[in-house]
Amino acid sequence: MDSRVITALSLLLLSAALAVNSLLGPQFAQVLIYPLSETLLNQTRGLELFSLVVLVPLGIAAAILTYRGHPVASVLAFAPAANVVYMFVQYIVGPNYDDVPSFILFHLGVFILGMGILIRS
């Protein structure tokens, strides 16, 4: 498979993972519960909204442009990937969990995917 196709599919997967994480988080479905103060939860809610409104569409646009071989695709892919690497490491090691939550592997997978795209872009 061509590397452009793999990168485009990776960007689509990253965008989908960001959307799922945002929709399941404290802003919407409240399935992902973080042991954070109200102030940090508000910041998380803002991040989830930002992810849905800005990062997910940007990741989709980068995927389309990557598939088409457009030179600006790497620049567009950098933003959602860098944001994921920055934020998801905080999701993984930041909160003081009493026990490891079931979604930690999901966050770890999204982090690794974001890191791969960041390096690639």
Side-chain angles (χ1 to χ4, degrees), residues 5-17:
V5 174
I6 293 170
T7 303
L9 290 174
S10 297
L11 282 161
L12 289 176
L13 182 60
L14 184 70
S15 297

Side-chain angles (χ1 to χ4, degrees), residues 8 15 21 31 36-37 44 57 65 70 101 107 113:
S15 297
N21 187 72
V31 173
L36 303 172
S37 67
T44 302
L65 292 174
H70 199 284
H107 282 165
L113 180 62

Side-chain angles (χ1 to χ4, degrees), residues 55-109:
L55 297 177
V56 170
L58 197 58
I60 293 169
I64 293 168
L65 292 174
T66 297
Y67 182 74
R68 293 180 180 170
H70 199 284
V72 79
S74 291
V75 175
L76 290 180
F78 185 83
N83 184 276
V84 162
V85 168
Y86 173 73
M87 289 309 300
F88 275 70
V89 74
Q90 295 177 53
Y91 286 155
I92 296 166
V93 300
N96 294 322
Y97 295 113
D98 291 335
D99 55 56
V100 177
S102 58
F103 54 84
I104 197 86
L105 291 178
F106 171 69
H107 282 165
L108 185 59

